[in-house]
Amino acid sequence: MSEERVASRYAKSLLELSQEKGSLEKVYEDMGFFSQTLENSRDLRLVLRNPIIKHDKKLAILTSLFGGRVSELTNAFFKIITQKNREEILESVATEFVKQYNEVKGIQKATVTTAVPLTPELRATFQQMVVERTGKTVELQEVVDPAVIGGYVLRIGDQQIDNTVRTNVQKLKNKFKENPYITKL
């Protein structure tokens, strides 16, 4: 079975158990904290994926790093994962948990890339665009990229709306190429 499917099943189990125990929000925070820690620590990612390091040693590392900082349920989950020799999928489980949490809570993540920082009015406009397309609460991430020059690129899940100057100029060029009445000078 692929790592992604296994991670999805573990994440679903953790999500359901945390809902049952009434600690969904805390476990969500824990998974975010865990993902952020992994993102900032290449060494920790390598340790968790290393088959030579014993599982009890990996659990000791997880406990020392996260023991007092995460909930009892999250600590118990780490213990179960290490007992099952599945530490290498913890990063994928955390990512999948956040994705499933967002689905349960009706949250849609979107990313907007612009040349300059958004004004509050523009931010509200983009949030409204996402709400109209998805009907979900929006968690908007803003990226400033001077290469955009003008316009924006809005990503909602696997959809992308590219309304940049560069793209519009390219579309215009393509229309001119398709027009048989325009000849090259």
Side-chain angles (χ1 to χ4, degrees):
M1 194 178 312
S2 74
E3 180 178 311
E4 192 174 292
R5 287 184 68 188
V6 173
S8 178
R9 288 182 178 183
Y10 274 112
K12 183 178 181 186
S13 297
L14 180 60
L15 183 90
E16 290 172 354
L17 183 61
S18 62
Q19 283 178 313
E20 190 178 298
K21 298 280 185 185
S23 60
L24 180 61
E25 299 301 321
K26 178 61 178 147
V27 174
Y28 171 72
E29 290 173 18
D30 294 347
M31 289 296 116
F33 174 60
F34 178 73
S35 293
Q36 188 67 37
T37 304
L38 285 178
E39 190 176 309
N40 294 331
S41 175
R42 180 176 181 269
D43 292 339
L44 181 58
R45 283 194 317 272
L46 292 174
V47 164
L48 291 176
R49 292 195 172 273
N50 191 331
I52 298 171
I53 300 173
K54 295 192 182 293
H55 305 289
D56 57 339
K57 182 70 173 171
K58 291 178 186 179
L59 178 60
I61 291 169
L62 288 171
T63 303
S64 69
L65 288 174
F66 301 104
R69 296 179 171 177
V70 296
S71 68
E72 288 180 33
L73 182 57
T74 304
N75 277 322
F77 181 73
F78 288 158
K79 186 175 182 180
I80 290 168
I81 291 290
T82 55
Q83 288 172 344
K84 300 278 186 187
N85 303 329
R86 297 284 195 167
E87 305 87 0
E88 71 278 358
I89 67 164
L90 271 173
E91 184 173 9
S92 298
V93 170
T95 302
E96 187 62 32
F97 181 90
V98 169
K99 191 184 303 180
Q100 290 180 20
Y101 172 88
N102 287 339
E103 192 66 35
V104 166
K105 292 292 190 174
I107 298 171
Q108 176 65 54
K109 289 193 173 208
T111 304
V112 64
T113 306
T114 57
V116 294
L118 294 178
T119 64
E121 296 83 22
L122 276 175
R123 187 174 301 111
T125 301
F126 283 117
Q127 287 177 332
Q128 186 59 36
M129 285 174 66
V130 176
V131 168
E132 288 172 2
R133 289 182 180 271
T134 65
K136 296 181 177 181
T137 305
V138 181
E139 191 174 296
L140 190 65
Q141 178 184 3
E142 301 172 29
V143 177
V144 176
D145 182 3
V148 171
I149 300 173
Y152 64 89
V153 177
L154 179 63
R155 292 179 200 264
I156 307 168
D158 60 351
Q159 296 178 338
Q160 177 172 302
I161 302 165
D162 188 340
N163 195 12
T164 58
V165 172
R166 177 182 293 154
T167 301
N168 291 333
V169 168
Q170 187 61 44
K171 286 177 185 176
L172 191 58
K173 277 184 182 178
N174 291 339
K175 279 186 180 180
F176 283 139
K177 286 179 185 176
E178 293 170 6
N179 191 339
Y181 298 110
I182 297 177
T183 58
K184 290 188 176 182
L185 299 176

